[in-house]
Amino acid sequence: MDTITSYLSSLTAEHYFFFLFAIVAIASSLEVVMQRSPLYSAIALVFTMASLAANFVLLKAQFLAAIQIIVYAGAIIVLFVFVIMLLNVRAEESRLDRFGALRFIAVPSALVLFLGAFAAIRFSNLDTLSPSPASAAAGTTERIAELMFTKYLLPFEAASVLIMMAIVGALVLASRARDVEAEMAAIEAPAESEAPLPEPEDRLEEVEVS
Amino acid sequence: MTVEGTGLAVFVSTAVPSAVDLLAEVRDLAMPEIIVSVFACLALLVAAGAGPRHQRLAGWASLGGTALGLVSVVSIWIAQGRTLPRIGLAGMYVVDEFALLFKGIAVVAAAVTIAISMRFLTEERTERGEYYALVLFATVGMMLVPSGADLLSLFIALELMSLSVYVLVGYLRGDGRSNEAAMKYFLLGAFSSGVLLYGMSLVYGVAGSTRLVDLAVALPQAISANGDLVLLVGVGVALLVAGLAFKVAAAPFHVWAPDAYEGAPTPVTAFMSVGVKAASFALLVRILVDGLGPLRAAVESGWPGWDLSVGVLAAVAMTWGNLAALTQKNAKRLLAYSAVAHSGYALLGVVAGNRMGYTGLVLYIVVYVAMNFGAFAVLIALRRGTIAGDGIEDFRGLAARAPGMAALMTVFMLGLGGIPPTAGFVGKFYLFAALVETGDRWLVALAALALVNTAISAYYYLLFVKAMYADADEAGAPALATSPGLLAVVVVSGVLTLAVGVYPQPVIAVSGAAAERLEPAPGPKPTRNSAERAAPGGRAR
């Protein structure tokens, strides 16, 4: 009991906030995976992103926190919700039941991984590690911009190629669905023997986007 | 270089010269990647400009890009050979012989994939220029991976490669198998990236740096200063090894490979089994040998180094891959399991950890490229009209219909089986001999297991030969779907497989040069030094 009270008295406000946001992040991310309704999952994801952003602030990464809120919680999740609503996705029926036996492997494996990571952090006496000096200026926009274009230039450029590739890949996969529809239409109406090829104008537009 | 309140003038006067220096460095070091990226964008523009019936133009543009990329890689090797290794871009990027050789493999893999894709895509009626652009984007990732000198740049390069390949696997419209394969590959690939990233974060947390050179110094120091940290580093290294095993498809982390290989369009399967595999091995060597080299053997008593886990992985991958391949009826699936087994063989070079082992690893990957591309090119030629052509029974009577093709396929199968006088034998010989050379009892036993596995694998490789020569022809089967590019790939691969088998010295010399800068394992074995001098890899320099 004494150890617990002395531990609690050693905590600062920062610790309390960390635990609060960490618990919210874990709980809401569990909710993301366990919800049957995609809409609820998407909304739970907002909470995950927001609490992660709060933890970024505690780590003195203010810029990252702001970006996290604006881009993820703001833009991307809103897009998710729009898509879910437009497509009128229903709650998915549980098809995972046929993998029921796998749960007996999955849960112990997850436990082993968790306990391994927990033990590693708990028993490693991390105080001997000298933490990198994080000043209040570390997470500002200026500092990040400077790092991005000097020290981290290569990863930054590689990431930009990656994002460009991701746009092309998304277009390839998304326009494929349209082709399948065309083929299905051709099968249903035998008069149209060949599936219509994508129009050239359409292709031009795709590249302008990328 | 922080921007003070004094205004733009100070900023410009400091930032512009350093930016110019940085750009010059990028030009000197990363020219091949820049060329391939530019041609990927060019392929997109051609795909947009050319009509739906002229999409192949994008393929030709991409081929030009790979050719220029290869020229750039070779010219860097020749022009800057004396100044290598060059580390630049704030320590993120390293150019040495190892990186250049793997960049060359990536570019060649891309060129071959494009060459064997053209006719295939026409047969599948899905020829679109974006396909070639995606192959080139994946290639940029494959070229950045072996040059990674930092966990961050390695990870982004890996993801660039992986994401492109996920899309390529799911490229075939309306083919359920292709969609399923892409989904499985994506989910397991994302999961394995997560495992890898978790390992990286733990290791970074202890070392305080993501630079590989810093890791090699800081990790053993941290452990010797505080013995308790061995647990944290151990979990991090275990996660890294597991993530890397996923990427090279070493059993038991290979479950994605058979489905992804079977469902993907066959040229993409070839690309995965050659290009992605080579780049993944480059990643593994960079992280394990360059970054975690000092943790190879036990640092703290009672805790094994990573050599134990990699050795077990190699043994399991060889055995599991070969035994599972015995029961397969689908040729792509069979080659997927054979690729798992080959990952196991290649890991032997890392386990041996001596000069000969590293040379053998590089050599094995080089010859594997030739043999595997040849085999897949023949498989692609069998895909014609309404025939899927990916079962072993599709090879029946091939010797009667296409004797040249059947003969070359026999060469590739003998090569993959490691039977002399093919290149596969030279590669396996180096890997096994490297294990024996260490003199370690367990490693010699591992070499024996590898020999047994080679014998097992000969059975299923010879199944193809039996089907081609001994079994009756399918009545009325149409001719093969070949193209000039595909024929060139088959012939060149066949000639290389035989030529390297008969006269391996040039390839051994190049592989030895590429492997020369990899840090050998510091072993207590007294015979190591004398044996190293006798190794042909060292002699060739």
Side-chain angles (χ1 to χ4, degrees):
Chain A
M1 202 62 205
D2 266 2
T3 50
I4 293 175
T5 42
S6 67
Y7 176 70
L8 283 178
S9 63
S10 74
L11 293 179
T12 60
E14 208 177 317
H15 286 101
Y16 285 117
F17 278 114
F18 169 75
F19 284 124
L20 173 69
F21 292 124
I23 289 166
V24 172
I26 292 170
S28 56
S29 55
L30 277 176
E31 195 73 350
V32 173
V33 240
M34 291 165 84
Q35 271 293 343
R36 291 264 166 87
S37 156
L39 190 60
Y40 291 162
S41 284
I43 290 168
L45 196 55
V46 177
F47 284 95
T48 313
M49 296 300 177
S51 45
L52 281 181
N55 271 337
F56 284 152
V57 173
L58 291 179
L59 290 168
K60 301 198 173 70
Q62 305 90 334
F63 178 73
L64 203 56
I67 289 293
Q68 176 91 0
I69 294 280
I70 294 169
V71 175
Y72 282 93
I76 292 182
I77 310 280
V78 169
L79 266 182
F80 278 1
V81 171
F82 264 121
V83 170
I84 290 166
M85 294 212 168
L86 283 176
L87 293 181
N88 196 15
V89 185
R90 301 226 185 93
E92 189 201 355
E93 279 130 56
S94 177
R95 269 185 270 158
L96 290 172
D97 286 345
R98 65 194 164 111
F99 297 116
L102 281 180
R103 274 186 208 155
F104 296 104
I105 307 168
V107 172
S109 310
L111 270 181
V112 166
L113 185 65
F114 175 76
L115 288 179
F118 179 79
I121 292 167
R122 177 69 186 79
F123 299 116
S124 284
N125 196 12
L126 295 174
D127 298 339
T128 53
L129 292 175
S130 53
S132 57
S135 65
T140 59
T141 316
E142 281 170 7
R143 182 87 183 110
I144 284 179
E146 193 190 310
L147 282 175
M148 201 181 259
F149 290 101
T150 55
K151 191 179 172 196
Y152 295 108
L153 181 75
L154 178 77
F156 173 70
E157 296 291 350
S160 63
V161 176
L162 193 155
I163 290 166
M164 164 119 173
M165 170 266 130
I167 294 170
V168 176
L171 280 170
V172 166
L173 290 180
S175 63
R176 197 192 56 179
R178 190 188 57 198
D179 292 339
V180 172
E181 276 166 28
E183 277 173 13
M184 292 305 289
I187 291 166
E188 279 163 19
E192 263 184 85
S193 59
E194 268 196 21
L197 291 155
E199 294 84 15
E201 296 83 12
D202 212 345
R203 310 190 68 83
L204 269 176
E205 272 174 25
E206 284 174 10
V207 172
E208 273 164 25
V209 171
S210 61
Chain B
M1 222 186 72
T2 43
V3 188
E4 300 295 336
T6 46
L8 201 60
V10 176
F11 176 69
V12 168
S13 66
T14 54
V16 169
S18 65
V20 170
D21 287 351
L22 206 55
L23 283 178
E25 210 170 70
V26 171
R27 183 199 60 207
D28 284 353
L29 297 178
M31 204 57 186
E33 285 89 341
I34 294 173
I35 290 174
V36 177
S37 310
V38 166
F39 271 83
C41 300
L42 191 71
L44 283 177
L45 288 177
V46 172
R53 306 208 176 278
H54 302 286
Q55 289 295 305
R56 196 171 281 196
L57 284 175
W60 290 111
S62 307
L63 264 185
T66 56
L68 279 181
L70 186 63
V71 168
S72 171
V73 169
V74 172
S75 66
I76 289 182
W77 192 322
I78 292 169
Q80 303 185 16
R82 285 171 206 290
T83 60
L84 296 179
R86 289 188 61 180
I87 296 174
L89 302 176
M92 290 274 164
Y93 191 86
V94 59
V95 177
D96 55 11
E97 289 89 348
F98 179 82
L100 287 173
L101 182 67
F102 276 84
K103 279 174 206 225
I105 291 176
V107 182
V108 169
V112 171
T113 306
I114 292 165
I116 59 183
S117 292
M118 287 178 171
R119 175 72 190 264
F120 182 87
L121 292 181
T122 315
E123 292 286 327
E124 291 281 350
R125 297 157 165 271
T126 51
E127 184 152 41
R128 293 174 60 190
E130 291 87 349
Y131 175 92
Y132 304 110
L134 284 171
V135 170
L136 287 193
F137 280 127
T139 309
V140 176
M142 288 173 195
M143 295 165 85
L144 286 172
V145 164
S147 272
D150 189 291
L151 292 179
L152 189 61
S153 54
L154 279 171
F155 184 75
I156 291 177
L158 173 74
E159 286 305 290
L160 174 57
M161 169 182 85
S162 306
L163 284 173
S164 318
V165 178
Y166 301 149
V167 177
L168 285 172
V169 169
Y171 180 79
L172 285 188
R173 63 174 79 170
D175 182 344
R177 281 196 308 175
S178 177
N179 294 344
E180 185 191 336
M183 199 62 205
K184 280 185 177 163
Y185 188 28
F186 173 68
L187 287 178
L188 285 174
F191 177 71
S192 64
S193 292
V195 171
L196 196 65
L197 207 52
Y198 194 12
M200 284 179 180
S201 73
L202 289 180
V203 166
Y204 164 67
V206 173
S209 168
T210 51
R211 260 335 127 69
L212 293 178
V213 280
D214 294 345
L215 289 184
V217 176
L219 287 177
Q221 265 180 8
I223 291 176
S224 63
N226 172 7
D228 293 338
L229 277 177
V230 76
L231 196 57
L232 192 59
V233 176
V235 172
V237 172
L239 289 171
L240 277 174
V241 170
L244 291 169
F246 258 112
K247 297 294 176 198
V248 300
F253 300 102
H254 68 290
V255 280
W256 58 271
D259 289 327
Y261 278 43
E262 188 188 353
T266 313
V268 175
T269 311
F271 192 48
M272 283 162 72
S273 77
V274 173
V276 174
K277 179 146 281 190
S280 302
F281 264 101
L283 177 80
L284 183 136
V285 167
R286 282 287 178 222
I287 291 183
L288 287 187
V289 177
D290 283 5
L292 305 176
L295 305 181
R296 169 190 288 279
V299 179
E300 185 90 351
S301 60
W303 289 88
W306 56 254
D307 57 350
L308 178 69
S309 51
V310 177
V312 171
L313 269 178
V316 174
M318 286 187 299
T319 315
W320 194 329
N322 279 324
L323 292 182
L326 289 178
T327 61
Q328 300 306 319
K329 296 277 180 287
N330 179 292
K332 279 158 86 178
R333 221 173 157 79
L334 190 153
L335 286 174
Y337 278 110
S338 120
V340 172
H342 284 290
S343 280
Y345 295 131
L347 282 177
L348 295 178
V350 181
V351 178
N354 47 17
R355 185 66 57 225
M356 198 173 185
Y358 291 141
T359 307
L361 167 70
V362 176
L363 177 69
Y364 199 71
I365 289 172
V366 171
V367 300
Y368 182 72
V369 170
M371 300 182 304
N372 224 30
F373 260 138
F376 272 106
V378 176
L379 198 55
I380 287 164
L382 291 171
R383 165 80 183 89
R384 65 242 187 242
T386 53
I387 300 175
D390 59 359
I392 296 178
E393 69 275 4
D394 288 296
F395 282 89
R396 271 186 208 152
L398 190 69
R401 268 180 293 150
M405 210 70 148
L408 285 171
M409 186 68 183
T410 308
V411 169
F412 301 137
M413 286 299 125
L414 293 180
L416 287 171
I419 295 164
T422 57
F425 170 72
V426 182
K428 281 206 173 75
F429 176 80
Y430 255 73
L431 289 172
F432 299 174
L435 284 177
V436 175
E437 194 196 82
T438 59
D440 187 294
R441 199 153 42 94
W442 288 104
L443 295 186
V444 174
L446 196 57
L449 178 69
L451 269 179
V452 172
N453 266 299
T454 307
I456 296 173
S457 70
Y459 170 75
Y460 61 79
Y461 290 126
L462 290 177
L463 272 187
F464 285 96
V465 180
K466 172 180 168 285
M468 288 189 297
Y469 284 93
D471 290 349
D473 197 353
E474 274 178 88
L480 298 179
T482 58
S483 64
L486 188 138
L487 282 178
V489 169
V490 175
V491 171
V492 170
S493 305
V495 168
L496 276 180
T497 307
L498 279 177
V500 174
V502 175
Y503 182 63
Q505 268 72 22
V507 181
I508 291 174
V510 170
S511 307
E516 197 180 333
R517 281 184 224 290
L518 299 177
E519 189 73 27
K525 296 107 190 168
T527 53
R528 178 68 59 82
N529 283 336
S530 56
E532 233 171 61
R533 249 176 265 124
R539 197 171 56 208
R541 272 300 276 192

